[in-house]
Amino acid sequence: WTRKCNAACNFCYAQLQSSDGHVITKENALDYLEDAAEIGVKGISLISDGESTVVPWFDETIEFGSRLGIEIGMSSNGVRLTRNVLERVLPHLSYLRFNFSGGDRKRYAEIMGLQQRDYDRVVQNIKDAMAIKRRDNLPVNINMQMVVMPQDADQIVPLAKLGKELRP
């Protein structure tokens, strides 16, 4: 839905592109979903050059697309996926992938281009997502993704341990 992003990941190829950070209009996004449903599109993944959660109406489009019969999946850095947002979108998603490319606070901040406090925020958001999934017996697949660059290989084991703790 956008090329805007609240992170500055050191591995992001979008960083290499010129980006003016425009956001698709809500009207165009809803029209697109209607057109996709009309021609028989089965699923759409929100995994773009930007962070879809920064679009003010992103959760509305997930609900709308789901009501049209389209399976919606998404990838996110997870910073803005608060419990309230998760309560709204998880019932409408086929998968939610948290891009979480650092296993400790300091390296997470360096790799993701975010603040160390965001590490704790995203860990809590993953815990909340898993709690909602279990409570409501939702079929959504929740997972964590790590992009590994050679200079960040030291984070593989710490992230695997965190994943074992969080159990997505």
Side-chain angles (χ1 to χ4, degrees):
W1 293 141
T2 185
R3 292 185 76 189
K4 289 183 180 181
C5 190
N6 56 341
C9 302
N10 66 14
F11 54 79
C12 184
Y13 70 90
Q15 302 271 352
L16 303 174
Q17 302 174 53
S18 171
S19 176
D20 50 17
H22 286 287
V23 174
I24 190 173
T25 67
K26 180 178 174 180
E27 179 183 8
N28 285 343
L30 297 178
D31 287 348
Y32 170 79
L33 291 169
E34 285 180 334
D35 290 347
E38 185 177 320
I39 64 171
V41 171
K42 301 291 183 203
I44 293 175
S45 294
L46 299 177
I47 50 171
S48 65
D49 291 350
E51 173 62 33
S52 296
T53 62
V54 302
V55 176
W57 37 262
F58 110 95
D59 46 0
E60 183 180 339
T61 60
I62 289 173
E63 292 171 322
F64 184 73
S66 174
R67 284 194 305 270
L68 292 172
I70 300 171
E71 286 196 34
I72 308 287
M74 70 171 292
S75 184
S76 173
N77 61 38
V79 173
R80 297 178 70 132
L81 289 174
T82 62
R83 186 169 192 99
N84 288 339
V85 173
L86 290 165
E87 291 279 4
R88 188 168 177 185
V89 301
L90 281 179
H92 303 282
L93 291 174
S94 59
Y95 74 85
L96 170 57
R97 179 181 307 131
F98 285 89
N99 180 9
F100 200 94
S101 293
D104 66 64
R105 284 169 189 81
K106 181 178 183 297
R107 293 288 286 128
Y108 168 88
E110 292 170 3
I111 295 166
M112 300 289 292
L114 292 163
Q115 300 296 313
Q116 288 188 32
R117 70 178 176 268
D118 292 324
Y119 175 96
D120 297 314
R121 178 178 294 138
V122 177
V123 165
Q124 185 60 53
N125 293 347
I126 295 169
K127 288 178 181 178
D128 289 344
M130 293 307 299
I132 294 164
K133 173 186 169 60
R134 288 185 189 109
R135 180 196 71 205
D136 297 344
N137 196 30
L138 297 173
V140 60
N141 181 324
I142 300 170
N143 57 62
M144 294 167 65
Q145 164 190 297
M146 178 182 202
V147 177
V148 182
M149 300 297 284
Q151 67 270 22
D152 303 326
D154 64 306
Q155 292 303 292
I156 295 171
V157 171
L159 187 63
K161 288 179 180 178
L162 179 63
K164 183 177 179 184
E165 175 189 329
L166 299 177
R167 306 304 264 181

